[in-house]
Structures are given as C-alpha cells and as structure tokens.
Amino acid sequence: MVGIKPTDLPPTVAVKFFGAGTAACFADLVTFPLDTAKVRLQIQGESTAASGSAVVKYRGVFGTITTMVRTEGARSLYNGLVAGLQRQMSFASVRIGLYDSMKQFYTRGSEKANIVTRLLAGCTTGAMAVAFAQPTDVVKVRFQAQARQSDGLKRYNGTMDAYRTIARDEGVRGLWKGCMPNITRNAIVNCAELVTYDIIKELILKYDLMTDNLPCHFTAAFGAGFCTTIVASPVDVVKTRFMNSTAGQYSSALNCTLTMLTKEGPTAFYKGFMPSFLRLGSWNIVMFVSYEQIKRGLTSIQCSWESPF
C-alpha cells in the first residue's frame, strides 16, 4: 500500500498475505450480523415474488436484526460464520494480500502505478480469489439465508454437512454456483475498495492532511467502503440471489438479473443497500486499520529476528 516511508522496511509478501486474511477475519467477526441482515433483505423480494404475497417480513437493517433475534435467536445473526472465516482466510489473503505484488507485476517492478495499473491489479487478484474460494462463499450465503422452519428443521446441520450436501445434491459444480457473477462482483469490489483506499490515502499523505497513522487509515477506509457499496450493490444482489437459488430456479446469472428487473424493478438491485453500506463501511474500517497494524507488527518482529543485537 502507499504511505510507507523510504526508511521503513517494507512488509514481505508473506506478511501481507497472512495479515490480510487475519485482518479480514477480525472485520467479519465485528460486522457479520450486518452481512446476514443484508442477505435476508436481498432475498426477501425473491420469496414474495415467487409466492405472490405482499407480506414483508424484514424492514430495514435493525428491524431485520431485531426480527431475526426474536424469531430465531441471537445466534442466527452468525449463521455461516465458520464458512465466512474460511472464506476470508482464503479469499482476502489473495485479493488484498497480493494486490501490491500484482501492481509491481504489471509495472515490472516499479513502485509508480497509474490508475489503469491499479484497476488491473484489483481485477486480477479479485478473480484469482474467487477461483478457489467460491465454495466457502456459497456455503456462507446459504447459511445466512437459512431461516429456522416451524418444524425445527434446517437446510444444513453444519458447515461440513453443507459442503457435502451441496456436492451430493447439486454436483461439485454446485459449490461453484454463481462463480461468474461473483468474479464480476469481486473485480468491481476489489477495484473500488483497494484502488479507492490507495488513492485516498495517497492524497491525504501527499497534501499533508494527516500522517500515516490510524486517523488516515480510518478516513481512507470509510471512503473506500462508501464508493464500493454504490458500485457493487447491483452485482452483489444478483450474486446472493443466484447462489441461494434452488436447482432450476434460474438458468443463469443473466436470467436471474432479467427476472429481478421484470418482476421487481430496478430498485431490486439496491435491496439491502443500507446494511451493505453499514457492513462494507465498518468492514473496511476494521479490516484496513487492522491490516496496517498487523503489517507493522509483523515487520517489526521480522526486523528483531534478523537483527537481534
């Protein structure tokens, strides 16, 4: 990331890789209820359109959280947390931890990267992450969308049971359901998130508005979260609907998009916008602040090991 002083020892790729995954897990632990509320709001229009009912179960971010706690218990807010943490360790480590390395790859080792290079790096690491972390995302969304039934039955009994059940009932390809819209989403998210954070932080330091410390990281992360929510919400809603759909419900992500547009209108693509913003804004703040501190801490440890005296 930008802002490292020339006299500082830059963090290694391993430090960035591990630090990004760890920081993302911290962020998920803090913001997971907001993410679950977002998923419930995103799929709500789908269930009402299918049944023809006008009954709205969830209203707003905190109304959704309150309803879930009242009807399903507080633990329901963390449905899919295990898969969520698995996702972050495998996903964020690649898309965030390898971002700087990918920038250097495209600039052939130069530290100076223009906006096109940054966008290319963000798209590349985002697509790479989805390629092998998609099953964890599918399971996470399925758990978050899973409401407790009146007979007490659940769609899946546990994280490993979900992986096995999906593979058995839908084939191995079912674990990669929604892969293409997810690649699209994460290319957009990665570009908006990392590039915006990079640029805002760079401008803050360039014009001496703040030093390279926590307030600077907080401001850049908040701006990145807001920009990301605006550009990524439509793709995020389609991704959630498609990954949570039953076999044969949609023939493709494009079919899901067109179905939403014709049955629910353009506003359907911004369902759950407020929890998305609250979640992405707070997630970015926790993640980037943690990431910067973890990088510095691990780099200091590395220096002490290399120079014990």
Side-chain angles (χ1 to χ4, degrees):
M1 294 294 171
V2 297
I4 298 175
K5 297 178 181 179
T7 54
D8 291 341
L9 177 67
T12 64
V13 175
V15 166
K16 292 178 183 178
F17 188 88
F18 175 77
T22 305
C25 285
F26 287 154
D28 247 27
L29 285 169
V30 173
T31 64
F32 209 80
L34 292 171
D35 193 34
T36 302
K38 177 204 72 173
V39 169
R40 291 294 180 92
L41 285 167
Q42 286 177 338
I43 66 171
Q44 179 167 248
E46 178 180 58
S47 57
T48 55
S51 63
S53 172
V55 177
V56 176
K57 184 177 181 180
Y58 304 116
R59 295 182 182 276
V61 186
F62 300 108
T64 301
I65 292 175
T66 302
T67 299
M68 290 181 64
V69 171
R70 186 180 68 251
T71 59
E72 303 171 48
R75 292 182 62 182
S76 65
L77 297 174
Y78 283 90
N79 280 346
L81 178 62
V82 173
L85 295 179
Q86 291 172 351
R87 174 181 180 269
Q88 292 302 347
M89 280 306 299
S90 57
F91 188 78
S93 297
V94 174
R95 77 177 186 88
I96 298 171
L98 298 184
Y99 172 70
D100 284 339
S101 298
M102 196 55 63
K103 279 197 304 182
Q104 292 181 351
F105 171 79
Y106 282 121
T107 58
R108 299 183 180 181
S110 173
E111 291 294 331
K112 295 182 179 180
N114 57 32
I115 185 66
V116 175
T117 301
R118 296 179 189 190
L119 290 173
L120 281 172
C123 287
T124 303
T125 58
M128 288 169 56
V130 173
F132 72 93
Q134 180 70 2
T136 62
D137 204 9
V138 171
V139 171
K140 178 184 80 76
V141 168
R142 295 281 182 95
F143 267 104
Q144 288 177 313
Q146 174 177 265
R148 181 182 295 169
Q149 305 298 319
S150 57
D151 55 8
L153 295 176
K154 292 184 177 180
R155 194 174 184 181
Y156 307 110
N157 294 320
T159 304
M160 297 310 298
D161 176 61
Y163 287 117
R164 288 192 297 267
T165 302
I166 293 171
R168 184 187 67 239
D169 296 346
E170 304 174 42
V172 176
R173 291 181 60 183
L175 291 169
W176 269 267
K177 192 171 189 177
C179 188
M180 288 311 297
N182 209 14
I183 286 177
T184 304
R185 173 193 178 271
N186 281 289
I188 294 172
V189 167
N190 231 31
C191 289
E193 197 171 75
L194 297 177
V195 175
T196 304
Y197 179 84
D198 228 6
I199 292 174
I200 293 175
K201 182 180 174 184
E202 189 176 61
L203 291 173
I204 289 173
L205 298 176
K206 179 180 179 180
Y207 292 102
D208 294 323
L209 300 176
M210 300 176 190
T211 57
D212 189 5
N213 55 18
L214 196 147
C216 171
H217 305 156
F218 181 96
T219 303
F222 183 84
F226 183 73
C227 293
T228 303
T229 309
I230 291 176
V231 300
S233 277
V235 184
D236 190 36
V237 174
V238 172
K239 180 211 77 165
T240 299
R241 292 280 187 95
F242 191 65
M243 289 199 305
N244 186 60
S245 65
T246 56
Q249 186 173 354
Y250 303 116
S251 60
S252 65
L254 179 60
N255 175 251
C256 178
T257 303
L258 294 175
T259 301
M260 287 175 58
L261 184 62
T262 54
K263 291 188 175 182
E264 302 172 56
T267 56
F269 295 102
Y270 281 91
K271 280 184 178 293
F273 179 83
M274 187 52 66
S276 289
F277 172 62
L278 290 175
R279 190 257 174 183
L280 268 176
S282 55
W283 192 93
N284 272 271
I285 290 168
V286 176
M287 197 286 298
F288 278 116
V289 169
S290 301
Y291 182 40
E292 297 279 7
Q293 297 306 312
I294 290 171
K295 281 195 301 181
R296 291 182 179 184
L298 291 177
T299 302
S300 297
I301 293 173
Q302 180 187 352
C303 289
S304 65
W305 283 351
E306 293 179 354
S307 304
F309 302 105

